[in-house]
Amino acid sequence: MDRIRIRGGRPLSGKIAIGGAKNAALPLMAASLLTDEKLVLTNLPRLADITTLSHLLVQHGVSITMNGAKPEETGHVLELRARRIANTTAPYDLVRKMRASVLVLGPLLARCGEAKVSLPGGCSIGPRPVDLHLKGLERLGATIELHQGYIEATARKGLVGAEIIFPVVSVGATENLMMAATLAEGETTLVNAAREPEIVDLARCLAAMGAEIDGAGSDRIRIRGVKRLVGARHRVIPDRIETGTYIMATAITGGAVELVGAEYAAIAAVARVLEGAGVEVTETPKGIAIRRRNGRLTGVDVMTEPFPGFPTDLQAQMMATMTTADGAAMITETIFENRFMHVPELCRMGANINVHGASAMVRGVPKLAGAPVMATDLRASVSLVLAGLAAEGETVINRIYHLDRGYEHLEEKLAACGAEIERLVGD
Ligand code: EPZ
């Protein structure tokens, strides 16, 4: 298995290009199931999760080609065409690799009147149920049965629009239901909908495909069903979590970096928190510039929240950043139940962190020390990379296949800014 070796202590300096957002790309790819015409997605990152979803879509009958970008475009270009749905079953072997696979449920059901999708099961950051997806589809008239680990959904006469009130905000359920409702008969309203930029991006793409959607980006989304959707070309938004990760990499190493192609509005809450910790985050004509003010960072408290709050997908990176701050930082995780798996690993590098329920008290130490570490999920892994960049001596990170799910060219991007980082190709 590959590992990453870092010799820490070098400030980052230079430019990093931000890629297309993984969490926008996945629902956009699932949306290709809604039409028999071609959907072209540009600015797509090349990541393991994109490949996993491609495999699933291919077995549903989608033909997919991936090309390098045209000179005027960054990222990759994916062409998806679901001329005919060959198979409405999403099997366990593919769904268990990636929970976002459940996003095929709404589109398949809306287009074919039936879908059988494996229940995703638990994962390292918490139980992550899909009850809101299922209750929402039932409100649209689907019959749902759980049978031998599979969700069996049918709507033989088609889905019918309805009002769906979410008891908690869910990104995935908002996406699944928004897609399903585009082909339902009549109007659907999603109340307490997620407001993440990825939802707005999906709504824009669906609108380009002929869907009628208002209110994406607010907590109330209205969808008027249409008979059919058509092909479109759509550019995936920049990855705000990759952006936030490199902001924190710059903050913890004390460098100055420009993130080319990054969008400030998508990480405004993160920028505000880091400003309080002693980091300048400013908009530039090409993206965002980051510079740590002189001296150590200052500890600041953070609570994760749905957008526009501080994202849970940057909590681990923020915690790593606070390990060497002056003073204490209370980090509270409100979205997932088990998202502190990075804490023991950071402590092995000399961090002083105590977890009390959903909060972690980080007491800043002057320096971290390199160590062999491993992680259990994507964002936890990258928080160890950040810690390794700041630590004295050598850090070796194991199980980096997690990183390959969500960070394209991580080592190259950091090395180009002066980090001493390399991939050790293992057996
Ligand atoms: C998306 O997951 C992201 N994944 C996650 O990113 C991200 O952490 C999460 O949103 C929150 O921002 C993708 O976009 C592919 P949710 P999702 O439904 O949609 C509970 C990463 O590292 N819930 O918004 O699965 C759930 O348990 C990943 O890139 C229910 O109770 O998250 C959680 O506590 C990790 N019932 C909360 O809602 C449901 O039916 C929010 O989850 C659905 C969710």
Side-chain angles (χ1 to χ4, degrees):
M1 241 182 266
D2 291 4
R3 291 168 298 156
I4 280 184
R5 180 166 62 201
I6 302 172
R7 290 196 183 84
R10 289 162 165 258
L12 295 183
S13 155
K15 291 184 196 297
I16 295 178
I18 295 301
K22 165 181 85 80
N23 289 347
L26 296 172
L28 290 167
M29 288 168 67
S32 68
L33 292 166
L34 290 164
T35 174
D36 59 0
E37 295 187 18
K38 195 197 289 176
L39 177 64
V40 181
L41 300 176
T42 65
N43 195 34
L44 213 89
R46 194 186 277 272
L47 296 169
D49 276 8
I50 302 290
T51 310
T52 304
L53 186 58
S54 297
H55 288 153
L56 180 61
L57 292 175
V58 164
Q59 70 86 46
H60 288 310
V62 183
S63 61
I64 301 185
T65 50
M66 189 182 229
N67 306 307
K70 294 202 178 114
E72 71 277 11
E73 286 172 338
T74 56
H76 296 274
V77 179
L78 199 68
E79 296 189 358
L80 306 107
R81 181 150 194 198
R83 197 188 294 266
R84 203 177 62 82
I85 303 292
N87 172 8
T88 53
T89 300
Y92 175 67
D93 269 358
L94 287 169
V95 176
R96 76 181 166 80
K97 287 190 184 160
M98 190 183 63
R99 296 183 51 85
S101 306
V102 79
L103 292 172
V104 302
L105 179 61
L108 284 175
L109 185 61
R111 173 140 168 220
C112 307
E114 59 169 43
K116 183 175 167 188
V117 176
S118 171
L119 273 166
C123 91
S124 63
I125 60 176
R128 301 182 75 183
V130 289
D131 57 315
L132 302 176
H133 302 234
L134 305 188
K135 283 186 192 128
L137 290 170
E138 279 178 337
R139 288 277 301 157
L140 298 184
T143 304
I144 309 260
E145 281 175 25
L146 300 181
H147 193 57
Q148 294 186 325
Y150 277 81
I151 304 159
E152 294 181 358
T154 46
R156 301 272 177 236
K157 292 185 185 149
L159 297 170
V160 181
E163 183 181 68
I164 298 168
I165 304 173
F166 294 112
V168 295
V169 176
S170 162
V171 175
T174 303
E175 290 165 345
N176 230 339
L177 288 155
M178 190 162 75
M179 288 191 280
T182 58
L183 293 179
E185 191 190 319
E187 188 171 299
T188 298
T189 310
L190 305 180
V191 181
N192 198 24
R195 292 180 281 167
E196 270 65 5
E198 293 76 15
I199 305 278
V200 179
D201 201 37
L202 177 62
R204 272 181 39 235
C205 179
L206 292 169
M209 293 166 71
E212 294 188 17
I213 303 180
D214 297 319
S218 78
D219 60 1
R220 198 178 178 92
I221 304 178
R222 216 159 53 117
I223 306 120
R224 279 171 303 278
V226 294
K227 286 261 177 295
R228 68 183 292 267
L229 295 181
V230 295
R233 186 179 178 90
H234 178 82
R235 187 173 201 278
V236 180
I237 52 169
D239 195 317
R240 65 193 168 98
I241 306 302
E242 187 189 30
T243 301
T245 301
Y246 290 124
I247 291 179
M248 291 180 204
T250 312
I252 194 173
T253 61
V257 167
E258 185 176 18
L259 301 178
V260 178
E263 239 172 56
Y264 186 90
I267 50 98
V270 176
R272 269 197 302 278
V273 167
L274 285 165
E275 288 278 350
V279 185
E280 281 172 16
V281 185
T282 45
E283 224 173 333
T284 66
K286 287 191 179 156
I288 296 175
I290 307 110
R291 196 179 68 85
R292 186 166 105 190
R293 294 193 200 100
N294 292 336
R296 274 172 83 182
L297 295 172
T298 310
V300 284
D301 294 347
V302 174
M303 185 185 284
T304 63
E305 286 172 325
F307 193 84
F310 191 98
T312 172
D313 289 346
L314 287 170
Q315 178 259 110
Q317 301 88 315
M318 186 64 194
M319 192 177 304
T321 308
M322 289 291 97
T323 54
T324 54
D326 190 14
M330 172 84 93
I331 300 195
T332 304
E333 172 60 56
T334 71
I335 310 289
F336 291 112
E337 287 160 40
N338 191 29
R339 217 174 190 182
F340 283 147
M341 301 293 275
H342 41 285
V343 170
E345 299 299 303
L346 290 171
C347 289
R348 294 185 62 251
M349 298 177 71
N352 179 350
I353 308 171
N354 286 298
V355 174
H356 305 276
S359 294
M361 175 58 84
V362 186
R363 292 188 174 85
V365 294
K367 277 227 171 293
L368 295 177
V373 287
M374 71 177 184
T376 43
D377 82 272
L378 168 60
R379 311 303 173 186
S381 308
V382 86
S383 78
L384 300 176
V385 172
L386 266 50
L389 291 173
E392 234 164 39
E394 184 175 291
T395 296
V396 176
I397 300 159
N398 293 286
R399 298 200 180 164
I400 59 163
Y401 54 84
H402 290 298
L403 287 172
D404 295 332
R405 294 185 57 183
Y407 291 93
E408 191 176 13
H409 301 312
L410 176 85
E411 310 93 89
E412 289 89 338
K413 287 182 181 186
L414 289 169
C417 288
E420 225 181 304
I421 178 168
E422 63 179 332
R423 183 178 287 242
L424 309 173
V425 179
D427 33 271

